[in-house]
Amino acid sequence: MKRKPNSYNDRFSDEASRGDEDSGPFGGQSRRQPQSGKPSFLNSATIGILTAVFILGIGIGIAFSSTATISPENVASREFIDRSAPNPELCVQFGASAMVTDMRLYVTLNPFNVYISQPSMRPGCVLRTNNWAILEQRKLIDQNQVRECKNRMNTFGFTGALESQPQINCIYQNDGAKNLFLNQPGSGVPATESQNF
């Protein structure tokens, strides 16, 4: 029985499987060059440059977002609302700045309908309960108003500068369970109140 000659590919794979790197498929020197000390694509210099570009990009993004044009048409910044509040330094130190919406609600019973007036928006301030003395010292509220507001576990909010004639109201803080922005279905446990005023 005649033996079938091996093809070139079979001989090459046999030689490669033996791991003989010094000789080629025909017994001579291999054309494969030994690995030189070439730097890899992701060496430390390249990683450093990519990291610097990434950090620079974050810095430029923050700079653009902080210098966004702030106008009455674009009230998207907490800093803008803080600066617009009446008595801004006092408000930020002893309470929180707020956006106050004034509107009237009309309810008719026969036929039953609800009507809402055009809302008006203006800056305001909500004081923390332990800072009501500021309003008392300026004689803007009296002991009866303080007692009534305390009995209902509320706080005071105002619009207009305290030096002129501000509009002061006893206001109620809504609990987090009725905040549908925080209490979305499937989002898990509802958020707890963190800053009671």
Side-chain angles (χ1 to χ4, degrees), residues 64-82:
F64 276 126
S65 68
S66 64
T67 59
T69 54
I70 298 172
S71 65
E73 294 83 28
N74 180 20
V75 184
S77 160
R78 193 189 82 189
E79 288 80 17
F80 179 79
I81 296 169
D82 285 345

Side-chain angles (χ1 to χ4, degrees), residues 3-71:
R3 195 167 180 205
K4 187 176 177 184
N6 287 342
S7 68
Y8 171 79
N9 290 337
D10 290 340
R11 275 187 273 150
F12 183 71
S13 65
D14 287 341
E15 291 288 326
S17 66
R18 282 188 219 136
D20 187 8
E21 292 186 14
D22 291 330
S23 63
F26 300 109
Q29 278 299 97
S30 173
R31 290 185 182 169
R32 204 178 321 170
Q33 297 292 329
Q35 292 241 346
S36 63
K38 279 192 212 174
S40 68
F41 176 68
L42 290 176
N43 62 12
S44 59
T46 307
I47 291 172
I49 291 171
L50 290 175
T51 304
V53 168
F54 179 71
I55 292 171
L56 182 66
I58 290 174
I60 290 172
I62 291 171
F64 276 126
S65 68
S66 64
T67 59
T69 54
I70 298 172
S71 65

Side-chain angles (χ1 to χ4, degrees), residues 4-159:
K4 187 176 177 184
N6 287 342
S7 68
Y8 171 79
N9 290 337
D10 290 340
R11 275 187 273 150
F12 183 71
S13 65
D14 287 341
E15 291 288 326
S17 66
R18 282 188 219 136
D20 187 8
E21 292 186 14
D22 291 330
S23 63
F26 300 109
Q29 278 299 97
S30 173
R31 290 185 182 169
R32 204 178 321 170
Q33 297 292 329
Q35 292 241 346
S36 63
K38 279 192 212 174
S40 68
F41 176 68
L42 290 176
N43 62 12
S44 59
T46 307
I47 291 172
I49 291 171
L50 290 175
T51 304
V53 168
F54 179 71
I55 292 171
L56 182 66
I58 290 174
I60 290 172
I62 291 171
F64 276 126
S65 68
S66 64
T67 59
T69 54
I70 298 172
S71 65
E73 294 83 28
N74 180 20
V75 184
S77 160
R78 193 189 82 189
E79 288 80 17
F80 179 79
I81 296 169
D82 285 345
R83 286 193 310 262
S84 300
N87 303 91
E89 295 83 15
L90 182 138
C91 187
V92 171
Q93 184 178 0
F94 298 110
S97 58
M99 294 182 289
V100 180
T101 305
D102 289 330
M103 65 181 173
R104 291 191 175 208
L105 184 73
Y106 296 85
V107 180
T108 60
L109 299 177
N110 190 12
F112 181 77
N113 280 315
V114 178
Y115 302 91
I116 299 173
S117 67
Q118 181 79 25
S120 66
M121 301 282 291
R122 57 183 148 167
C125 182
V126 177
L127 289 177
R128 292 186 184 90
T129 53
N130 56 350
N131 295 322
W132 293 352
I134 294 168
L135 299 176
E136 289 182 275
Q137 289 167 0
R138 296 177 185 228
K139 301 201 184 313
L140 297 170
I141 55 174
D142 58 23
Q143 285 295 322
N144 291 336
Q145 290 172 310
V146 170
R147 192 177 332 102
E148 285 178 18
C149 209
K150 267 187 188 172
N151 288 340
R152 292 179 282 172
M153 297 301 290
N154 297 334
T155 188
F156 284 102
F158 65 93
T159 60

